[in-house]
């Protein structure tokens, strides 16, 4: 049997010849050979057909497919299963073990030929992809071990993907930065992690090595829900290997502009133990200075923080001021203070050795965390935490929260007086 042939494997040679007659319509110059299950492996050890067809409707046909896939140089040769009737369990098992397609013996000749054409076409495309990947590996663009873009070449490659996304107005395309962090100083095998991460996105998505052991993902037609789903799956697969953090945003600007913002968000998240953050409305000014991706000062992020802080002040300052007046009038001889800074904002009320404090922090400058705690005679009670995306945070919401804190303060104050 010559290379480039079609091999039909059948537990019934008569049926094998019937399939052969149908396949001859494909191209009259194809070399088609029919063999039994027993003969198949011996024949395949000495040749490599461009298409293999296996006929059978039981576990023996699955076993021969499985064995073929273990043979050297045959792992990517397309295999079509031919069966007498539909058997869901058989077909699912066959796909799990390496078939590329199937058809039924009594299908029309035209259907059979179309299925074969499609299988061969897919096989040719896969071979072309393999050739291109070999070229990219040789050029140092793709990492040989993991098959994803190298850290050195990723910025250039991702610039092109970003440009395409913006030029073609491909909405819901998400850029995600992922950072694995070792558990208890456990040494990370970054290539092993890369191999796991690349299995989660869809085939047309992009995965690359980033700076400082991070990974970059471009997720097409995804949006926030798809980004959360991808992160959740990655986190599940890596939970025993490392802690995983991710910052994501829809692509609305260049890679050079967005990468520093998401990287800085990751750093803030890790320090605050927030595993996922989706940055909304990340529409950076077209006139903004382009940031060198090696700029550790994060100029763009500083601008982003400034805008956040300005918007945050407009929400918090009037509420704090209003509630200070309200609390001072209601609780005579109490001490009410508030302070608003770029890192945290605090509202406190103190009277008769009872202090209630509302502390607001904003890790990554997209999340708003509110910690509430009461201290009686310098003994702190258990604090509670509320968390909001900044876009869901409002003056009305903050006002309601402080009013609840003051009610709690009043209850504890009355209880303290009763006890005394």
């Amino acid at each position: 049997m010559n290379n480039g042939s079609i091999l039909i494997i059948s537990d019934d040679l008569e049926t094998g010849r019937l399939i052969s007659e149908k396949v001859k319509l494909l191209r009259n110059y194809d070399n088609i050979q029919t063999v039994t299950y027993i003969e198949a492996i011996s024949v395949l050890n000495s040749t490599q057909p461009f298409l293999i067809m296996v006929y059978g409707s039981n576990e023996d046909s699955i076993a021969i497919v499985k064995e073929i896939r273990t043979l050297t140089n045959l792992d990517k040769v397309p295999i079509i299963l031919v069966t007498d009737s539909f058997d869901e369990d058989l077909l699912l098992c066959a796909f799990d073990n390496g078939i590329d397609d199937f058809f039924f013996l009594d299908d029309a000749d035209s259907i059979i030929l179309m299925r074969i054409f499609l299988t061969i076409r897919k096989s040719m495309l896969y071979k072309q992809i393999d050739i291109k990947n070999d070229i990219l590996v040789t050029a140092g663009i793709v990492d040989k071990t993991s098959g994803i873009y190298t850290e050195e070449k990723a910025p250039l490659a991702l610039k092109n993907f970003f440009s395409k996304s913006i030029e073609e107005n491909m909405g819901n395309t998400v850029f995600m930065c992922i950072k694995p962090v070792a558990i208890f100083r456990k040494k990370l095998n970054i290539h092993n992690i890369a191999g796991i991460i690349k299995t989660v996105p869809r085939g047309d998505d992009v995965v690359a090595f980033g700076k400082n052991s991070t990974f970059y993902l471009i997720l097409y037609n995804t949006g926030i829900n798809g980004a959360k789903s991808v992160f959740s799956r990655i986190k599940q697969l890596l939970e025993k290997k490392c802690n995983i953090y991710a910052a994501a945003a829809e692509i609305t600007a260049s890679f050079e502009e967005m990468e520093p913002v998401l990287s800085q968000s990751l750093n803030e998240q890790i320090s605050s133990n927030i595993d996922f953050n989706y940055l909304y409305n990340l529409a950076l000014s077209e006139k903004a200075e382009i940031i060198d991706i090696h700029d550790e000062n994060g100029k763009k992020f500083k601008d982003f923080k400034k805008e956040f802080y300005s918007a945050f002040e407009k929400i918090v300052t009037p509420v704090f001021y209003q509630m200070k007046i309200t609390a001072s009038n209601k609780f005579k001889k109490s001490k009410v203070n508030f302070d608003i800074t770029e890192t945290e904002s605090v509202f406190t009320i103190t009277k008769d050795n009872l202090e209630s404090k509302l502390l607001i922090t904003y890790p990554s400058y997209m999340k708003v965390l509110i910690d509430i705690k009461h201290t009686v005679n310098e003994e702190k009670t258990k604090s509670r935490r509320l968390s909001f995306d900044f876009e869901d945070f409002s003056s009305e919401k903050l006002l309601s929260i402080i009013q609840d804190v003051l009610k709690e303060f009043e209850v504890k104050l009355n209880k303290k007086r009763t006890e005394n």
Side-chain angles (χ1 to χ4, degrees), residues 78-117:
I79 301 175
I80 297 177
L81 181 68
V82 186
T83 66
D84 293 315
S85 59
F86 180 80
D87 183 332
E88 183 176 4
D89 290 338
L90 178 77
L91 290 173
L92 288 174
C93 187
F95 275 108
D96 285 341
N97 283 282
I99 69 166
D100 296 270
D101 205 345
F102 71 95
F103 62 79
F104 303 121
L105 189 60
D106 60 357
D107 279 343
D109 291 351
S110 58
I111 297 295
I112 292 173
L113 294 179
M114 280 191 287
R115 301 299 284 266
I116 294 173
F117 272 127

Side-chain angles (χ1 to χ4, degrees), residues 42-58:
S42 176
V43 171
L44 289 170
N45 277 327
S46 60
T47 189
Q48 183 173 342
F50 73 83
L51 175 65
I52 300 171
M53 306 175 73
V54 177
Y55 168 74
S57 300
N58 53 41

